[in-house]
Amino acid sequence: MHQNTQPLVATHIEPLLTVNDLVVRFDSSRGTVHAVDGVSLSIKPGETLGLVGESGCGKSTLGRAIARLVEPQSGSVRLGGVDLTRLTRSGMRPYRRDIQVVFQDPLASLDPRCTVGMLIGEPLRIHGIGDRRQRRDRIADLLSKVGLSADSADRYPHQFSGGQRQRIGIARALALDPRLIILDEPVSALDVSVQAQILNLLVDLQSKLGVAYLFISHDLSVVEYVSDRVAVMYLGRIVETSTREKLWSSPAHPYTRALFDSIPRIDTGDLGRRRHMVQGDLPSAYNPPEGCHFHTRCPRAEEFCAVESPILRTVADSHVAACHFA
Amino acid sequence: MALVDIVAHIPPARIAQDNAFFRTARQPSAVVGVLLLGFVVAMALLANQIFPGDPLDFVGQPFQRPGEDPSFPLGTDMLGRDLASGIFHGARISLLIGAVATAMSLVIGVGVGAFAGYYGGKIDASLMRLTEFFQTIPPFLFALTIVAILQPSIATIVGAIGVTAWPSLARLVRAEFLKLRHGDMVQAEIALGASDMRIIFRHLLPNTLAPIIVSASVMVATAILTESSLAFLGLGDPNVVSWGGMVGAGREVLRSDWYIATLPGVAIVVAVLALNLLGDGLNDAVDPKQERR
């Protein structure tokens, strides 16, 4: 994470993961949901890409599509030289060692009938790593990495607190030494004091292990804390991507600005800039607005915004935004 | 002082046991059910020791009322067969058929339900059409037809009950699997690289076990009742004694010698009641709303 990695001038580093024009649609009786509508992004080894957006914008679906938990309709997800979307389910299995997922609710994602040792050891058993003894040592090692005592292995998930359970989920995700972990709202279900502990743990682990994170969250302060780069998502599309510093200092897209403006804070008077909070609700993903998806809520929108979709354009070095006015 | 000391040294977790077993033990209906069922099982296990010899043998004077002759405590029927011996040996047949037929139904029902719920789509649709086909025929008439065609024997009766009793279980298991299928637990397992079989057998089935066990206890009761009904209609295995057969044989003399049909009838009631009470108690005990986590 940003405290520990080189500044991102080293753009020549080959990306670990490249997502290109990914589309995920769900058909239902009410129509087609455009959950992910042509998303491209890349993640470099060892970096954290934050993915922010309102609930319902498709950020979790994007994360799950990258891990092949939902099937994309088109586009590619390349890990190294391999397009994961073209693999069969069994062909995908060896690549699952490289991409792991941590879910929002650890209680829902951990089988309540398995001990913590069984849960953390399961990825090792699935991929046939080590013998019984080696796996036991590895489980103890993983438990200590995430700050749990070794005797936790014999207990059940419901005997732990929320933060400890998320540590179990993180330990399980680390078991296979992945190169990328998709963190799907990993701290959203936790108390604020516990959130900080888990975030610090994630930062620590990244500096020790060099694993890359795709950090999905609706919480800007959390994303600011952990991310090297941040992608802002709105109704299935990425509207702006930049380094953390640039995004916070000079957001280019009206939606990003509105998001920052809607962070509650005690105002000490109008400092020359009007605050534009996002008005109204997210439009339905069944029938996304024509043109720029954001024009229905955008303070700067003009007539042609409703007609023409803006493409991602470079507004500064390693800073792209999809707005006609950016 | 000693007792206080001992209690003080029991870890709190032991005093406030809160797992399914202890919750079951706190259900009065479950306790009564277990006691009654234990009694029936004891009759089955001890039948050969207490009443050696074939219960179908004519051993005494016919139409002896209960208590008339101390060697036949429950009396004899119109052919001089010992009713007590018949009831004890009948418990074996009833429990055997109930258990084996239910085991068969469990395999079919859990299998159909699990695969339909897990895979969904066309597999679900075709398996559910099959289930509906079986559900449109009343299970008792279906079993009756099968036994009548195949000749009554323990094997055909077990088979007939087994292949007709599974549809409701399949629906139950399917519903549980559907609920869990798209939850994070399964998503997490897929992300780890687990195979479908591993997810189904290692994770989904153990998490569905509670409702399966509850309905299995009621299915045993239903199977015993079905077997008794078949035997009552003369479609029991003619070589073994059966409660239903005894009731059937006694019904002709019901007005003069009521006990010949009534005593085996009471045995059926006790066995079925025991299993239903147990099922009820288990149901309350595994109800997730009562689970204090």
Side-chain angles (χ1 to χ4, degrees), chain A residues 257-314:
Chain A
R257 272 183 241 142
L259 273 187
F260 286 138
D261 282 348
S262 41
I263 299 172
R265 62 180 158 220
I266 299 163
D267 252 325
T268 51
D270 195 352
L271 296 173
R273 193 163 82 84
R274 272 188 61 204
R275 293 182 61 174
H276 288 289
M277 305 230 218
V278 201
Q279 302 294 322
D281 290 326
L282 195 65
S284 163
Y286 283 106
N287 263 320
E290 295 283 310
C292 174
H293 280 174
F294 189 54
H295 79 263
T296 52
R297 299 160 85 189
C298 182
R300 290 201 56 178
E302 290 181 17
E303 265 174 40
F304 74 99
C305 290
V307 183
E308 197 162 326
S309 284
I311 55 159
L312 281 168
R313 287 185 298 120
T314 305

Side-chain angles (χ1 to χ4, degrees), chain B residues 144-197:
Chain B
L144 187 87
T145 313
I146 296 172
V147 173
I149 292 169
L150 295 178
Q151 301 304 322
S153 72
I154 289 185
T156 57
I157 293 167
V158 164
I161 297 173
V163 298
T164 53
W166 59 268
S168 61
L169 184 72
R171 291 195 161 274
L172 175 88
V173 173
R174 173 178 175 268
E176 292 289 323
F177 267 57
L178 274 180
K179 194 171 71 187
L180 295 170
R181 173 68 179 88
H182 296 285
D184 279 354
M185 186 180 89
V186 171
Q187 298 296 305
E189 290 298 329
I190 295 173
L192 294 176
S195 63
D196 290 343
M197 290 305 123

Side-chain angles (χ1 to χ4, degrees), chain A residues 186-201:
Chain A
V187 297
S188 305
L190 305 175
D191 289 342
V192 177
S193 58
V194 182
Q195 283 191 0
Q197 293 169 18
I198 298 294
L199 293 175
N200 285 331
L201 172 70

Side-chain angles (χ1 to χ4, degrees), chain B residues 209-224:
Chain B
L209 214 52
I212 293 176
I213 289 172
V214 170
S215 73
S217 69
V218 179
M219 281 167 72
V220 175
T222 312
I224 289 175

Side-chain angles (χ1 to χ4, degrees), chain A residues 64 68-69 89 93 96 99-101 103 105 108-114 122-123 125-127 158 172 176, chain B residues 118 181-185 187-196 198-199 202-204 206-208 210 293:
Chain A
R64 285 172 191 224
R68 273 289 290 279
L69 296 176
R89 237 197 101 178
R93 194 157 296 145
R96 294 207 179 275
I99 301 181
Q100 284 293 303
V101 185
F103 293 85
D105 179 0
S109 56
L110 300 171
D111 186 338
R113 290 178 187 271
C114 292
E122 182 159 35
R125 282 196 301 275
I126 290 170
H127 292 271
H158 72 265
R172 181 168 69 167
L176 297 169
Chain B
Y118 186 81
R181 173 68 179 88
H182 296 285
D184 279 354
M185 186 180 89
Q187 298 296 305
E189 290 298 329
I190 295 173
L192 294 176
S195 63
D196 290 343
R198 185 182 187 95
I199 296 171
R202 290 278 184 89
H203 297 287
L204 292 178
N207 279 289
T208 317
R293 283 222 162 129

Side-chain angles (χ1 to χ4, degrees), chain A:
Chain A
M1 299 198 181
H2 58 91
Q3 290 93 334
N4 311 294
T5 44
Q6 298 292 314
L8 280 156
V9 284
T11 42
H12 60 274
I13 297 175
E14 276 290 295
L16 169 68
L17 182 98
T18 314
V19 175
N20 198 15
D21 205 17
L22 197 70
V23 174
V24 183
R25 295 197 193 102
F26 299 111
D27 288 316
S28 78
S29 51
R30 280 180 57 201
T32 304
V33 184
H34 300 260
V36 178
D37 195 5
V39 165
S40 302
L41 56 82
S42 67
I43 301 172
K44 295 185 192 71
E47 80 163 340
T48 297
L49 175 67
L51 184 62
V52 281
E54 289 167 90
S55 33
C57 74
K59 53 192 193 300
S60 282
T61 308
L62 173 59
R64 285 172 191 224
I66 291 172
R68 273 289 290 279
L69 296 176
V70 296
E71 292 297 322
Q73 261 64 45
S74 64
S76 66
V77 176
R78 290 188 172 275
L79 180 82
V82 185
D83 183 357
L84 302 181
T85 61
R86 293 184 185 279
L87 296 173
T88 60
R89 237 197 101 178
S90 54
M92 179 70 197
R93 194 157 296 145
Y95 295 95
R96 294 207 179 275
R97 290 180 63 166
D98 288 329
I99 301 181
Q100 284 293 303
V101 185
V102 173
F103 293 85
Q104 172 174 0
D105 179 0
L107 198 54
S109 56
L110 300 171
D111 186 338
R113 290 178 187 271
C114 292
T115 63
V116 170
M118 287 157 73
L119 288 166
I120 299 178
E122 182 159 35
L124 303 172
R125 282 196 301 275
I126 290 170
H127 292 271
I129 298 168
D131 55 30
R132 182 180 280 270
R133 204 196 145 83
Q134 289 167 321
R135 286 199 296 262
R136 210 177 49 216
D137 295 345
R138 176 79 174 136
I139 291 165
D141 170 49
L142 287 162
L143 283 172
S144 83
K145 271 203 177 82
V146 298
L148 291 172
S149 62
D151 62 4
S152 308
D154 299 324
R155 291 156 65 197
Y156 289 87
H158 72 265
Q159 295 171 295
F160 292 85
S161 69
Q164 288 172 321
R165 281 178 206 144
Q166 198 54 290
R167 287 171 193 266
I168 299 166
I170 293 167
R172 181 168 69 167
L174 288 173
L176 297 169
D177 283 324
R179 292 197 276 170
L180 171 68
I181 299 181
I182 294 167
L183 300 152
D184 187 358
E185 303 264 11
V187 297
S188 305
L190 305 175
D191 289 342
V192 177
S193 58
V194 182
Q195 283 191 0
Q197 293 169 18
I198 298 294
L199 293 175
N200 285 331
L201 172 70
L202 289 170
V203 172
D204 266 11
L205 289 169
Q206 189 173 49
S207 69
K208 282 185 200 142
L209 306 170
V211 58
Y213 292 146
L214 174 63
F215 193 101
I216 301 168
S217 179
H218 64 272
D219 188 334
L220 284 166
S221 56
V222 167
V223 168
E224 182 184 12
Y225 185 67
V226 297
S227 304
D228 298 309
R229 288 190 306 129
V230 178
V232 182
M233 198 164 170
Y234 185 79
L235 265 187
R237 291 181 186 166
I238 287 183
V239 296
E240 183 165 9
T241 306
S242 185
T243 61
R244 178 179 58 103
E245 292 79 7
K246 276 182 198 155
L247 196 74
W248 257 259
S249 63
S250 53
H253 197 283
Y255 178 61
T256 315
R257 272 183 241 142
L259 273 187
F260 286 138
D261 282 348
S262 41
I263 299 172
R265 62 180 158 220
I266 299 163
D267 252 325
T268 51
D270 195 352
L271 296 173
R273 193 163 82 84
R274 272 188 61 204
R275 293 182 61 174
H276 288 289
M277 305 230 218
V278 201
Q279 302 294 322
D281 290 326
L282 195 65
S284 163
Y286 283 106
N287 263 320
E290 295 283 310
C292 174
H293 280 174
F294 189 54
H295 79 263
T296 52
R297 299 160 85 189
C298 182
R300 290 201 56 178
E302 290 181 17
E303 265 174 40
F304 74 99
C305 290
V307 183
E308 197 162 326
S309 284
I311 55 159
L312 281 168
R313 287 185 298 120
T314 305
V315 295
D317 186 35
S318 61
H319 186 169
V320 293
C323 177
H324 295 303
F325 304 106

